[in-house]
């Protein structure tokens, strides 16, 4: 199994995700890997760690989720693996619930989201996002 972190999905992957049948609520698992130092496009805040820059994003994203009917469910540091092996652990996991794919698309188009995304970009080395549905929704 191969895992590839990315900050943005390739256009074809994003088109497939948002173009798929909207089958209602889901949870997105975000496995996050931070840069050692924040890298803002304008060179500002170079003293921040990637984790600190991402925390700025995290502080604002809750309101964006709520604006589209979603919610932040959980966030925590990844400390170790009990089963399985990966070359390098992710730094953090965050779970976000969305009412639909359309709601997620609406969120990333919000002006408030656009204003905070620079912190996400500055802090992340990459991430893996996994969409999950309740087992009863898959039957």
């Amino acid at each position: 199994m191969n895992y590839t972190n990315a900050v943005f999905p390739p256009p074809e992957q994003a088109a497939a995700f948002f173009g798929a049948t909207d089958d209602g609520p889901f949870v997105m698992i975000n496995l996050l890997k931070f840069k050692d130092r924040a890298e803002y496009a304008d060179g500002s805040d170079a003293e921040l760690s990637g984790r600190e820059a991402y925390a700025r994003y995290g502080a604002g994203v809750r309101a964006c989720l709520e604006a589209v009917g979603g919610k932040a469910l959980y966030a925590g540091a990844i400390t170790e693996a009990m089963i399985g092996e990966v070359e390098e652990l992710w730094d953090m996991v965050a779970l976000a619930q969305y009412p639909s794919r359309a709601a997620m698309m609406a969120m990333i188009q919000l002006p408030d989201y656009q204003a905070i995304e620079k912190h996400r970009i500055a802090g992340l080395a990459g991430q893996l996002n996994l969409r999950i549905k309740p087992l009863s929704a898959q039957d």
Side-chain angles (χ1 to χ4, degrees):
M1 202 175 282
N2 182 27
Y3 301 99
T4 303
N5 285 330
V7 177
F8 293 103
E12 62 277 359
Q13 190 175 20
F17 180 86
F18 288 110
T21 301
D22 205 334
D23 58 352
F26 65 93
V27 171
M28 188 66 77
I29 299 172
N30 301 273
L31 296 172
L32 308 166
K33 188 69 179 165
F34 300 120
K35 296 174 184 171
D36 289 333
R37 306 278 348 116
E39 296 176 9
Y40 285 92
D42 64 2
S44 65
D45 295 324
E47 74 285 355
L48 292 178
S49 69
R51 184 182 298 272
E52 290 168 327
Y54 191 85
R56 290 178 170 182
Y57 167 80
V61 78
R62 286 182 181 270
C64 295
L65 278 163
E66 291 170 4
V68 299
K71 60 184 171 180
L73 298 177
Y74 181 84
I78 296 175
T79 59
E80 61 189 303
M82 185 186 121
I83 297 176
E85 286 185 43
V86 293
E87 281 187 34
E88 190 175 359
L89 288 176
W90 289 273
D91 296 317
M92 182 177 159
V93 63
L95 305 177
Q97 184 174 1
Y98 295 90
S100 63
R101 291 174 194 262
M104 185 179 185
M105 175 59 83
M107 184 193 79
I108 63 178
Q109 294 174 338
L110 291 171
D112 286 349
Y113 182 86
Q114 298 287 320
I116 62 169
E117 190 177 31
K118 66 183 178 184
H119 304 301
R120 179 185 160 282
I121 296 166
L124 278 180
Q127 69 185 83
L128 184 64
N129 287 3
L130 303 168
R131 180 180 181 266
I132 60 172
K133 295 282 294 176
L135 288 176
S136 61
Q138 296 175 17
D139 297 342

